[in-house]
Amino acid sequence: MCHKLYLLQQKISDPRDSFEEKIVRKDLLQKIVDIVLVAQKNQPEKEYLKIFYLRYVKEMKQKEIAAEVNLSQSEVSKRLIDIAQIVKTHF
């Protein structure tokens, strides 16, 4: 998972950011990943971590994710909304 977090950090990093901004971003991303990990442990059948990874690290579209995890596009959309709500409630 550390490698996936690193990839996500690289995708959203700005070379103009100060050291402090990079630290804050890293901490924030780690908190988000930790929240998604807990959600995954609570409901492993929802595949929250995999869907999160495919969407935000690999930047796949919902239709592509749906094919990858063998779900409908609307179910992937619902799970992404679930992930966003779970993260939002823990901040």
Side-chain angles (χ1 to χ4, degrees), residues 67-82:
E68 178 80 19
V69 296
N70 198 28
L71 294 170
S72 68
Q73 184 271 323
S74 63
E75 184 59 32
V76 169
S77 177
K78 289 177 193 173
R79 292 186 191 185
L80 287 167
I81 291 169
D82 288 347

Side-chain angles (χ1 to χ4, degrees), residues 29-71:
L29 286 172
Q30 186 61 59
K31 288 178 185 177
I32 292 169
V33 169
D34 290 345
I35 291 167
V36 175
L37 280 168
V38 169
Q40 176 69 32
K41 287 179 185 176
N42 291 338
Q43 294 181 289
E45 72 281 359
K46 297 282 187 173
E47 298 187 272
Y48 287 138
L49 190 59
K50 184 172 187 176
I51 291 170
F52 176 85
Y53 173 74
L54 294 174
R55 178 67 188 104
Y56 298 107
V57 176
K58 297 201 84 175
E59 298 180 345
M60 293 172 70
K61 296 181 177 123
Q62 290 182 10
K63 189 174 184 178
E64 296 169 323
I65 296 168
E68 178 80 19
V69 296
N70 198 28
L71 294 170

